[in-house]
Amino acid sequence: MAIDLPTQVLDALSYANGSILTAESFPSESFTTVKSALDRLSSREMVLYKTIERDEAILTEEAQGIVKHGSHEAKVFEAVRSAVEGLRVSDLPGIVGKESAKVGQGKALAGKWIKLDREKNILKANMDSIADTTREQLQTIERTKTYPDTKVISDLRKRKLLKMQKAITFEVSKGPKYAREFVKEETDLTAEMLASGAWKNIKLKPYNFKSKGALTLSGALHPLNKVRHEFRQIFFEMGFEEMPTNRFVETGFWNFDALFVPQQHPARDLQDTFYISDPLRADKPGPDPMAGEGDPKLDYEQYWNDIREVHENGKFGSIGYRYPWKEDEALRLVLRTHTTSTSTYMLHKLAANPRPARYFSVDRVFRNETVDATHLAEFHQVEGVIADFGLTLGGLIGFMEVFFGKMGIHRLRFKPAYNPYTEPSMEIFGFHEGLNKWVEIGNSGMFRPEMLESMGLPKEMRIYGWGLSLERPTMIKYGVNNIRELLGHKVDLNFVESNAAVRLEKE
């Protein structure tokens, strides 16, 4: 029984000349039971053991039938030998069965146990007796789970008589404190033992300070949340304030129009943006119903009219796009395509009290993208904005070098680019040491006057803006090649539970 297994192990070692294999000595015991018994003995230094992993051959159902009743070729031979005048080929399936006739006839002929009279189509025996080699081989494999000749294993596998599986066994030998008798060690010193004096004769189990405790079932942070935490810490270190990003659904006004994105821009097409079907439209922009009494009072009607004017006819020194701006299009509801819509809302509030400010956000955005190894229809955007007087493009480049340097990215390149709401605009490239090439890591620029002055911000105020995805640095950090393995229903929970903590290379 399982409770006596430690004693059985000690007894087996006493009779053995050296070590024993648990798979041979205790074949009926489960892996867990054997491991538990060995750990108990090993903790007392009574035995030493090591784990052996090997491939074992397991008989298929057909092979088990051969062990019991003989091989197909042996059945064919016996049927032919019993027919004194020979056996017609057509009669063979009725005697030994279709499967045995199909397989066994060819094997028996190849082994020259029988011969075929082609004129009469009759099978005749070539010898009086045979050795059923296949059955003997399978019997050996059934006992030992292996066979000395690997070619035999290969041939039997081709005949689908065997399947291989991994098996773990233990090689056990005597330890420094080996003894035939397994003395039970008490784990607790009780009041009864002290009162009766039994404590004098018992053996107490020593504490094992090296043993590992049982794993505690707990939640685990997703890799994206770990990298997100590191980004937030970088922003906080640099004096940024986090923006509220709880509005996944925005109007076209905040998501596009307020950013000076024309209503004919390709980004507003159905193939790029998710539009809400119910309700189709929202009200005009107005004060936040959740705002407190201390929030600034803003003229949203003037803001609405300035956005219309700067699109249709131009304003604040701009000629605009000169097209008929549609109110209904601005009020359509969309799943936000970027967190810049939140930045716009915060900068509009800043217009009530213009001052230097630094804002950031890290949250989810949505694009009507074709899903593949590097693109999803929803992902996370990291965004930062800096508002101040007298900012220049050189200052933006310098700040980017400091910001990305805190992530361990020190080699940067900047490429001119186009964005409807920033001018000048730059794509940011970083040199990836692992890939040994330059990769795009973000986008940046200075917000246009058409966007800022419409909000009521002073003409002298300049604002930097930049953004990057959260998924790309996370994929690089954890060596993930397919974004669908990082976010979505294909995520491996074991990966989430076991991934390492993130420490970006900070200076």
Side-chain angles (χ1 to χ4, degrees):
M1 296 177 64
I3 194 169
D4 298 321
L5 191 56
T7 303
Q8 293 179 40
V9 172
L10 295 174
D11 287 342
L13 282 172
S14 69
Y15 297 120
N17 184 18
S19 61
I20 62 171
L21 292 176
T22 56
E24 297 174 359
S25 300
F26 313 104
S28 60
E29 299 292 351
S30 68
F31 170 85
T32 306
T33 304
V34 172
K35 182 73 166 58
S36 176
L38 294 179
D39 285 340
R40 289 183 67 189
L41 294 171
S42 177
S43 67
R44 295 161 175 79
E45 298 184 26
M46 298 179 75
V47 302
L48 302 172
Y49 76 90
K50 63 180 180 180
T51 304
I52 299 174
E53 188 174 305
R54 64 179 185 179
D55 290 323
E56 287 190 347
I58 305 300
L59 303 191
T60 64
E61 186 177 347
E62 181 183 354
Q64 291 171 5
I66 291 175
V67 169
K68 289 181 180 179
H69 309 294
S71 65
H72 301 304
E73 53 267 35
K75 289 180 183 179
V76 169
F77 173 78
E78 288 300 329
V80 173
R81 187 179 65 83
S82 300
V84 180
E85 300 297 327
L87 182 67
R88 289 185 176 276
V89 173
S90 58
D91 295 336
L92 185 60
I95 299 173
V96 300
K98 289 183 179 179
E99 185 66 24
S100 291
K102 178 181 176 182
V103 177
Q105 180 179 324
K107 290 285 183 182
L109 287 168
K112 297 184 179 179
W113 296 355
I114 59 175
K115 60 184 178 181
L116 174 62
D117 186 337
R118 297 189 181 278
E119 291 184 2
K120 299 180 179 179
N121 207 26
I122 290 176
L123 296 168
K124 292 185 178 181
N126 257 354
M127 52 189 71
D128 296 329
S129 63
I130 51 104
D132 193 348
T133 309
T134 302
R135 185 181 191 183
E136 292 170 356
Q137 291 168 345
L138 291 174
Q139 287 172 336
T140 301
I141 292 170
E142 185 179 40
R143 290 194 308 273
T144 64
K145 308 298 182 186
T146 187
Y147 199 81
D149 189 346
T150 55
K151 187 177 183 301
V152 170
I153 295 285
S154 178
D155 290 341
L156 293 175
R157 288 184 67 186
K158 288 178 182 177
R159 293 180 62 179
K160 297 184 179 179
L161 297 176
L162 296 180
K163 56 184 179 181
M164 305 303 292
Q165 69 177 25
K166 293 284 184 183
I168 296 176
T169 187
F170 302 99
E171 183 180 349
V172 188
S173 58
K174 295 177 181 178
K177 297 183 181 179
Y178 170 79
R180 280 288 302 271
E181 184 181 359
F182 179 73
V183 180
K184 182 183 178 183
E185 295 176 330
E186 298 292 342
T187 56
D188 296 302
L189 184 64
T190 65
E192 290 78 8
M193 292 177 185
L194 293 172
S196 65
W199 62 273
K200 299 176 183 178
N201 302 318
I202 64 171
K203 187 174 182 180
L204 291 170
K205 182 178 180 181
Y207 282 106
N208 182 4
F209 293 103
K210 295 181 180 180
S211 64
K212 295 180 180 179
L215 290 176
T216 302
L217 295 177
S218 62
L221 286 176
H222 191 281
L224 283 172
N225 281 336
K226 293 185 178 183
V227 177
R228 178 179 181 271
H229 173 76
E230 288 297 303
F231 272 111
R232 292 179 76 240
Q233 294 306 114
I234 291 173
F235 277 115
F236 287 138
E237 287 174 7
M238 301 181 77
F240 282 75
E241 175 188 344
E242 189 166 16
M243 295 183 282
T245 53
N246 55 347
R247 296 191 300 193
F248 286 178
V249 177
E250 287 283 10
T251 61
F253 177 83
W254 290 110
N255 199 77
F256 296 118
D257 295 274
L259 273 72
F260 199 53
V261 177
Q263 293 183 341
Q264 302 87 357
H265 195 278
R268 301 178 75 152
D269 292 342
L270 284 172
Q271 62 263 32
D272 292 311
T273 301
F274 291 110
Y275 285 89
I276 306 301
S277 60
D278 187 18
L280 282 171
R281 291 174 178 82
D283 297 330
K284 285 185 178 181
D288 189 343
M290 304 299 292
E293 293 183 1
D295 276 31
K297 304 300 180 184
L298 299 166
D299 189 346
Y300 285 92
E301 187 63 31
Q302 181 63 45
Y303 187 29
W304 174 269
N305 291 332
D306 283 344
I307 292 296
R308 177 199 297 274
E309 187 68 18
V310 80
H311 277 258
E312 282 192 343
N313 305 309
K315 199 174 183 180
F316 311 114
S318 169
I319 64 173
Y321 291 117
R322 291 173 289 179
Y323 71 95
W325 187 79
K326 297 179 182 178
E327 181 176 304
D328 284 351
E329 183 66 24
L331 296 179
R332 290 181 71 183
L333 287 169
V334 301
L335 289 178
R336 67 180 179 205
T337 60
H338 47 198
T339 51
T340 316
S341 57
T342 302
S343 302
T344 307
Y345 179 77
M346 293 296 293
L347 292 174
H348 180 236
K349 290 178 68 174
L350 185 67
N353 179 22
R355 65 195 187 281
R358 294 184 173 196
Y359 299 120
F360 83 93
S361 64
V362 186
D363 212 337
R364 190 168 297 192
V365 297
F366 308 87
R367 305 271 177 89
N368 195 359
E369 301 259 14
T370 301
V371 176
D372 58 26
T374 57
H375 296 85
L376 289 176
E378 54 181 302
F379 57 96
H380 295 78
Q381 181 175 329
V382 181
E383 178 162 334
V385 294
I386 297 178
D388 207 339
F389 298 93
L391 296 179
T392 63
L393 181 65
L396 173 60
I397 292 174
F399 183 84
M400 289 295 96
E401 289 174 342
V402 174
F403 177 77
F404 284 102
K406 286 182 173 289
M407 290 182 257
I409 303 173
H410 304 286
R411 298 172 63 185
L412 295 179
R413 283 179 179 173
F414 300 91
K415 175 184 173 183
Y418 167 75
N419 279 315
Y421 46 90
T422 57
E423 180 61 39
S425 306
M426 299 182 299
E427 291 177 346
I428 308 167
F429 291 81
F431 188 77
H432 191 291
E433 301 290 346
L435 299 176
N436 196 33
K437 67 176 183 180
W438 293 91
V439 295
E440 184 180 353
I441 56 175
N443 217 312
S444 65
M446 300 183 72
F447 287 125
R448 294 177 65 107
E450 294 95 333
M451 172 184 166
L452 301 181
E453 293 186 44
S454 296
M455 297 174 177
L457 288 166
K459 191 179 184 69
E460 300 79 19
M461 179 165 271
R462 300 287 183 268
I463 297 180
Y464 299 149
W466 74 95
L468 62 150
S469 80
L470 181 64
E471 281 75 6
R472 176 165 290 182
T474 306
M475 290 173 71
I476 293 172
K477 184 70 180 177
Y478 287 102
V480 177
N481 296 320
N482 191 329
I483 194 171
R484 289 167 289 194
E485 297 173 3
L486 184 67
L487 187 65
H489 67 283
K490 292 186 177 181
V491 174
D492 183 356
L493 293 181
N494 289 325
F495 166 68
V496 173
E497 292 171 357
S498 61
N499 64 66
V502 176
R503 291 293 179 268
L504 299 178
E505 300 174 31
K506 299 178 183 178
E507 291 186 338

